[in-house]
Every structure is written in C-alpha cells, then in structure tokens.
Amino acid sequence: MAGGRASAKKIKIQERRRLALELRKSGASYRDIANAIRREPGIGTPRYSAMSACRDVRTELQAIREQAAELAEEVRLLELERLDDLLRVLWPKALDGDY
C-alpha cells in the first residue's frame, strides 16, 4: 500500500512541523528544536538540523497565514452578503423618498 505509507509519512511530517512550531513558541532556539525533534520517537531523524527546524517553523507559519487569509475572505463575503440584504430592503424605500 504505497498510498498508506505516503499518508503516514505526511502525518509524521505534519506532527514534526507542529512540534517545531510549539517549541519555537515556547522560546526554544532552532538548535534546541532540532535536538528535541531528533530525540522524538516516530518523527525524529538523526539528520534533522537547525535549518530543518527553521524550515518547518516557517512552513507552519505560512500555513497559519493562509488559513487566516481564507477566514478573512469568508468573513468579508459574509459581511458583503449582509450589506446586500440590507440594501435590497432599504434601497426601494430610499428611492420613494423614505429617508
């Protein structure tokens, strides 16, 4: 099952990235993060470096920015729909002189 192995690998990578971000948020240096992740069973590898930790943290931060942008777009569209609904009701009244 190649798909199963690929999915398991992706899950491990995601877990590693989340752990790297959590460690960074707690004040760990990239070297400290690399040392901690190398020791982490299931997700660590002997070749995981401070540069790898930095890359993982940046990847996670980018994902967070993208999620925030998507959420902001959803809120913006919702607000536009609400304003359109309000305008649909009030516009004809305003045209009739009801201010």
Side-chain angles (χ1 to χ4, degrees):
M1 287 189 153
R5 279 189 228 125
S7 296
K9 184 177 180 179
K10 286 181 181 181
I11 290 170
K12 286 181 181 183
I13 291 169
Q14 189 61 40
E15 288 174 359
R16 186 191 73 217
R17 287 176 178 163
R18 285 195 178 135
L19 177 57
L21 181 60
E22 286 303 314
L23 291 168
R24 186 67 177 154
K25 285 184 345 186
S26 71
S29 69
Y30 291 118
R31 181 174 289 142
D32 293 338
I33 294 168
N35 290 334
I37 288 180
R38 278 196 298 266
R39 293 188 304 266
E40 192 67 31
I43 62 172
T45 64
R47 296 186 335 175
Y48 192 79
S49 66
M51 186 180 290
S52 301
C54 181
R55 189 171 32 252
D56 280 349
V57 168
R58 286 183 180 191
T59 299
E60 278 298 289
L61 289 174
Q62 181 61 36
I64 290 169
R65 281 191 292 274
E66 289 170 5
Q67 289 171 352
E70 289 173 11
L71 180 59
E73 179 64 15
E74 288 177 21
V75 170
R76 187 185 70 78
L77 291 173
L78 177 64
E79 291 297 324
L80 285 174
E81 286 180 24
R82 292 175 67 205
L83 289 171
D84 285 344
D85 290 345
L86 182 62
L87 189 59
R88 229 182 326 277
V89 171
L90 296 178
W91 190 252
K93 293 178 182 179
L95 290 177
D96 288 338
D98 183 359
Y99 297 103

